[in-house]
Amino acid sequence: MSDRGVAYFGERYGGEGPAPRFAQWNEVIEALLGHRSVRRYAPRPLPEGTLELLVAAAQSAPSSSNLQLWSVLSVQDAERRRRLSELAGGQAHVRDCGLFLVWLADLQRLGELAKHRGVGHEGLDYLEMFVMAVVDAALAAQNALVAAESLGLGTVYIGALRNHPEAVAAELGLPPQVFATFGLCVGWPDAATPASIKPRLPQEVVLHREQYGAFERSVGALDAYDQLMERFYTKERMGVQGSWSRHSAARVESAQALRGRDRLRAALLAMGFQLQ
């Protein structure tokens, strides 16, 4: 385990205590532990072939039954980027990154294929297929993210595209049964504003063994994590009000807290998904 790997492991858990020494270690694990969300990008073009390389990495991800129920849409037009940025809550990095990718849960292609082959496609009307498509898109996107970061590029996901799904679909010309699950910014990180590794919950909170453990066992660790994250918010000048627990609970306090995503099912039905 390299010194940098020790540092990454420590930062991932807030630097509380020494990082363990693992018998097995490699550069891939080190890169995964070193992930951080990058929201400020240098105005520097990406190397030729970057898009195609990232798509190849994405297509190397697992796919349930090899149905490959996803597509990806590259958005380069500046005005379209600006409009998508506004739909995503005014996130400037959607405009400023070198490459903006929208990852799509895509049932339309398989439906068209079935019709072309003279086969029925009733199965696409069921929730399972939509879930499968979202999972496939997420796995593909994460492969692309890891590939991008291995090249020294920075990334950040944009889930706020789901705030206005119909408007995003119209902007991107999506046909029925194609849904923009999230965006992904890719670009050269701005060296003047380096991003930090954000601490995650302690393993004792997320790791269960054999059967799911009672919430009460995690209370102490969650309290410690709140204190850790308050220090992180202050250090990074993130302007988050209150603790991680309060901030997270506020995101589910009401339908309004979902920022438009409370009507996602209705939007999906309007976009041709049956979700039976």
Side-chain angles (χ1 to χ4, degrees):
M1 186 174 185
S2 68
D3 290 341
R4 185 163 60 176
V6 171
Y8 287 168
F9 189 97
E11 289 181 64
R12 185 59 68 201
Y13 295 107
E16 303 292 334
R21 292 279 175 175
F22 297 98
Q24 295 176 307
W25 190 261
N26 56 49
E27 292 181 355
V28 174
I29 296 172
E30 185 172 297
L32 290 171
L33 292 181
H35 164 75
R36 73 273 327 262
S37 294
V38 173
R39 294 178 173 86
R40 294 186 182 275
Y41 296 93
R44 175 182 164 196
L46 303 185
E48 183 179 352
T50 297
L51 172 60
E52 292 77 12
L53 182 60
L54 297 187
V55 172
Q59 290 190 280
S60 300
S63 171
S64 184
S65 300
N66 197 34
L67 295 181
Q68 304 175 68
L69 298 174
W70 64 273
S71 295
V72 61
L73 201 156
S74 172
V75 183
Q76 294 290 358
D77 180 76
E79 272 301 297
R80 179 163 287 117
R81 289 263 203 112
R82 181 189 61 77
R83 292 191 293 269
L84 289 173
S85 171
E86 291 176 357
L87 290 171
Q91 299 185 63
H93 32 288
V94 173
R95 303 191 310 265
D96 298 340
C97 63
L99 177 64
F100 186 63
L101 302 174
V102 181
W103 299 87
L104 309 171
D106 187 349
L107 299 184
Q108 191 257 5
R109 182 171 57 241
L110 185 54
E112 291 298 314
L113 173 64
K115 287 189 287 186
H116 180 69
R117 298 298 185 189
V119 178
H121 49 85
E122 179 186 356
L124 292 178
D125 294 341
Y126 287 83
L127 178 61
E128 160 65 10
M129 298 305 295
F130 178 73
V131 171
M132 190 184 296
V134 171
V135 170
D136 266 14
L139 293 174
Q142 185 63 14
N143 252 35
L145 179 148
V146 173
E149 293 186 352
S150 76
L151 299 172
L153 297 168
T155 63
V156 65
Y157 283 119
I158 307 295
L161 289 184
R162 297 192 301 278
N163 291 2
H164 303 283
E166 296 104 327
V168 169
E171 182 63 55
L172 300 178
L174 303 184
Q177 292 193 306
V178 178
F179 172 64
T181 57
F182 47 80
L184 179 66
C185 296
V186 181
W188 295 110
D190 181 1
T193 55
S196 297
I197 293 175
K198 184 179 291 183
R200 299 298 197 208
L201 288 166
Q203 287 195 9
E204 63 190 277
V205 175
V206 302
L207 174 61
H208 302 262
R209 299 181 187 273
E210 305 300 340
Q211 291 189 319
Y212 196 91
F215 171 77
E216 288 71 20
R217 76 182 184 116
S218 301
V219 170
L222 287 168
D223 289 342
Y225 183 68
D226 274 343
Q227 296 174 22
L228 169 63
M229 287 304 295
E230 286 190 53
R231 295 194 296 271
F232 181 82
Y233 295 147
T234 300
K235 179 174 69 75
E236 296 296 315
R237 301 177 181 177
M238 295 181 65
V240 176
Q241 300 299 315
S243 67
W244 175 85
S245 291
R246 289 186 181 278
H247 170 68
S248 299
R251 291 293 299 271
V252 297
E253 185 176 12
S254 65
Q256 291 72 28
L258 297 179
R259 302 175 184 175
R261 301 179 213 180
D262 53 299
R263 53 176 303 280
L264 182 57
R265 185 175 185 275
L268 289 170
L269 291 173
M271 294 166 67
F273 296 92
Q274 299 301 312
L275 308 179
Q276 295 186 42

